[in-house]
């Protein structure tokens, strides 16, 4: 009897191939034209993205990527590839690990081609986003399905849509935070990537997200509510770290308009500085690898804002990246699927 061959596909959002304006423009075109990211009618989305957002945003974003770029390349990609290598060694023959980026290279299509050629009988797809959102885990899963749907023989496929509440993920991120001695800071801010309000509304069948009290507890309808998952992630980490109730809060970053999830991270840290908070520790638990939104947006831009508002120190907790606790956590998350 032939032994099953298992492929594990790690999917992340993606990154420009280099920090030039042209490469960033290509990345933004692909990213922002995704209907799961900007859910407008086709023509309206094309006009908004191709004629307004990308032409103005690409030069600005390129400067940010140039500031972020290392000798190895994009931190998101290099962190993910190092994780792939370490996870492969740890899993040994249990599964072969592949990487696919939703936008740009290495693409999901190329990863799928390699998996097809390898004759794998089982495929596990793990979008690297702890909390489910249509614009992250949803679009990653759809892109994979579009590729393997063309195959003559489709293997057994399993998607791990979210893992924010898996004890192994919570333990790994809590270890990362604990290394920074959070109790020595005046305050801890948990910052998650924001979403447009209408995206969150779609995950609340019959219940507007504005009426959801998920800040207090996980509601019965919150299984795929991004906002609820973010607040639950904070609660789980706070409990693990034994943080005091008046020493932390949750906020949302990277907004494109005022009609996004609130409270906004930049406004929150400004208020904290004005209240006399001098030493602020920032945690970003919606990211498993450091990238533009963590290293630059929080570690550079928000740090400047906090200092200008009266703060003395803003420290960003490094993401999980390719750390050994994260490799061990992934093995536990994957255990029941292997």
């Amino acid at each position: 009897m032939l032994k099953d061959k298992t492929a594990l596909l790690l999917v992340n959002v993606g990154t420009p191939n280099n920090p030039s304006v042209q490469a960033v423009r290509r990345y933004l075109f692909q990213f922002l034209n995704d209907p799961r990211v900007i859910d407008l009618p086709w023509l309206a989305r094309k006009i908004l993205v191709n004629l307004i957002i990308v032409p103005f945003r690409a030069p600005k974003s390129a400067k940010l990527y140039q500031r972020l770029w290392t000798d190895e390349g994009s931190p998101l990609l290099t962190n993910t590839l190092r994780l792939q290598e370490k996870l492969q060694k740890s899993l040994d023959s249990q599964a072969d690990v592949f990487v696919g980026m939703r936008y740009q290279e290495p693409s999901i299509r190329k990863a799928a081609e390699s998996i097809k050629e390898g004759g794998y009988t089982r495929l596990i797809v793990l979008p690297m986003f702890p909390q489910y959102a249509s614009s992250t885990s949803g679009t990653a899963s759809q892109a994979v399905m579009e590729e393997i749907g063309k195959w003559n023989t489709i293997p057994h496929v399993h998607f791990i849509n979210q893992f924010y509440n898996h004890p192994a993920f919570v333990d790994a991120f809590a270890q990362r935070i604990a290394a920074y001695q959070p109790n020595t800071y005046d305050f801890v801010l948990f910052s998650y990537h924001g979403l447009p309000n209408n995206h969150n509304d779609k995950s609340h069948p019959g219940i507007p997200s504005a009426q959801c009290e998920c800040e207090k507890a996980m509601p019965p309808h919150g299984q795929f509510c991004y906002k609820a998952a973010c607040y639950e992630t904070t609660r789980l980490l706070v409990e693990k770290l034994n943080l005091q109730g008046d020493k932390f809060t949750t906020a949302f970053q990277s907004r494109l308009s005022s009609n996004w999830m609130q409270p906004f991270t930049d406004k929150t840290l400004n208020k904290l500085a004005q209240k006399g908070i001098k030493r602020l520790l920032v945690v970003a638990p919606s990211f498993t690898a450091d990238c533009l939104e963590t290293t630059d947006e929080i570690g550079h831009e928000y740090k400047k804002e906090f200092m200008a508002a009266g703060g003395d120190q803003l420290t960003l907790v490094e993401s999980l990246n390719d750390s050994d606790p994260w490799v061990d956590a992934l093995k536990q998350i994957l255990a029941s699927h292997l």
Side-chain angles (χ1 to χ4, degrees):
M1 184 175 179
L2 291 176
K3 183 181 179 181
D4 281 346
K5 289 180 62 180
T6 300
L8 168 63
L9 177 58
L10 306 178
V11 184
N12 217 320
V13 63
T15 179
N17 295 330
N18 61 69
S20 68
V21 174
Q22 184 179 14
V24 172
R25 185 181 294 114
R26 283 197 303 269
Y27 170 74
L28 291 177
F29 271 130
Q30 188 181 8
F31 173 43
L32 297 176
N33 274 297
D34 185 339
R36 283 183 178 264
V37 174
I38 296 184
D39 54 348
L40 293 174
W42 180 85
L43 182 59
R45 184 175 64 253
K46 291 295 181 183
I47 293 173
L48 177 64
V49 171
N50 299 349
L51 300 181
I52 300 175
I53 297 180
V54 172
F56 288 96
R57 188 173 175 181
K60 295 179 181 179
S61 294
K63 291 180 180 179
L64 302 182
Y65 277 109
Q66 289 162 13
R67 189 164 63 197
L68 175 78
W69 221 257
T70 69
D71 292 340
E72 294 179 288
S74 166
L76 175 65
L77 179 57
T78 56
N79 282 322
T80 304
L81 293 178
R82 282 196 293 263
L83 175 65
Q84 176 193 16
E85 182 180 358
K86 293 179 71 171
L87 184 59
Q88 182 65 76
K89 290 180 180 178
S90 185
L91 290 174
D92 194 18
S93 60
Q94 287 183 282
D96 290 332
V97 186
F98 297 83
V99 167
M101 295 293 175
R102 177 61 184 89
Y103 314 106
Q104 298 299 291
E105 302 295 331
S107 68
I108 289 174
R109 174 169 295 177
K110 289 183 179 179
E113 289 173 355
S114 297
I115 293 168
K116 181 183 179 182
E117 292 170 1
Y120 293 90
T121 55
R122 302 176 69 244
L123 171 60
I124 301 170
V125 183
L126 178 60
M128 302 298 287
F129 315 105
Q131 305 83 14
Y132 178 87
S134 176
S135 56
T136 54
S137 303
T139 189
S141 298
Q142 180 180 342
V144 173
M145 289 189 291
E146 288 173 352
E147 292 301 324
I148 65 176
K150 304 170 187 175
W151 299 357
N152 181 58
T153 301
I154 297 176
H156 299 288
V157 184
H158 189 79
F159 293 89
I160 302 176
N161 284 325
Q162 56 185 356
F163 49 85
Y164 70 90
N165 57 351
H166 195 289
F169 168 74
V170 176
D171 286 347
F173 225 116
Q175 285 184 54
R176 205 58 150 174
I177 300 168
Y180 286 79
Q181 299 181 303
N183 289 313
T184 65
Y185 286 81
D186 299 332
F187 203 84
V188 180
L189 175 60
F190 292 87
S191 180
Y192 298 82
H193 199 294
L195 290 178
N197 289 325
N198 70 310
H199 281 212
N200 218 41
D201 286 338
K202 291 178 179 180
S203 66
H204 288 72
I207 305 172
S209 60
Q211 297 176 14
C212 177
E213 296 187 350
C214 57
E215 299 95 334
K216 301 175 183 177
M218 175 61 75
H221 56 271
Q223 182 178 3
F224 287 105
C225 170
Y226 177 76
K227 179 182 176 183
C230 290
Y231 277 100
E232 183 69 6
T233 305
T234 295
R235 285 190 289 268
L236 291 169
L237 289 171
V238 163
E239 181 180 5
K240 195 75 178 177
L241 293 163
N242 196 29
L243 296 180
Q244 299 302 311
D246 60 344
K247 295 294 185 180
F248 69 89
T249 195
T250 295
F252 301 91
Q253 64 180 85
S254 309
R255 72 183 187 277
L256 293 181
S257 77
S258 59
N259 194 29
W260 278 47
M261 297 169 64
Q262 296 190 40
F264 299 135
T265 296
D266 55 347
K267 293 186 179 298
T268 299
L269 60 86
N270 270 278
K271 290 178 181 178
L272 290 172
Q274 292 166 9
K275 288 181 179 179
I277 298 297
K278 296 297 183 182
R279 300 182 69 246
L280 179 66
L281 186 67
V282 183
V283 185
S286 59
F287 303 91
T288 55
D290 279 316
C291 55
L292 187 70
E293 288 81 1
T294 59
T295 304
D296 195 82
E297 185 175 9
I298 297 175
H300 185 82
E301 296 294 338
Y302 288 173
K303 183 176 183 178
K304 286 198 305 182
E305 291 187 32
F306 182 67
M307 304 283 280
D312 291 337
Q313 179 184 353
L314 184 152
T315 302
L316 170 66
V317 172
E318 185 182 10
S319 195
L320 295 171
N321 296 323
D322 65 333
S323 63
D324 291 340
W326 180 218
V327 173
D328 292 339
L330 282 171
K331 287 182 67 177
Q332 294 181 55
I333 292 169
L334 293 163
S336 62
H337 309 289
L338 292 170

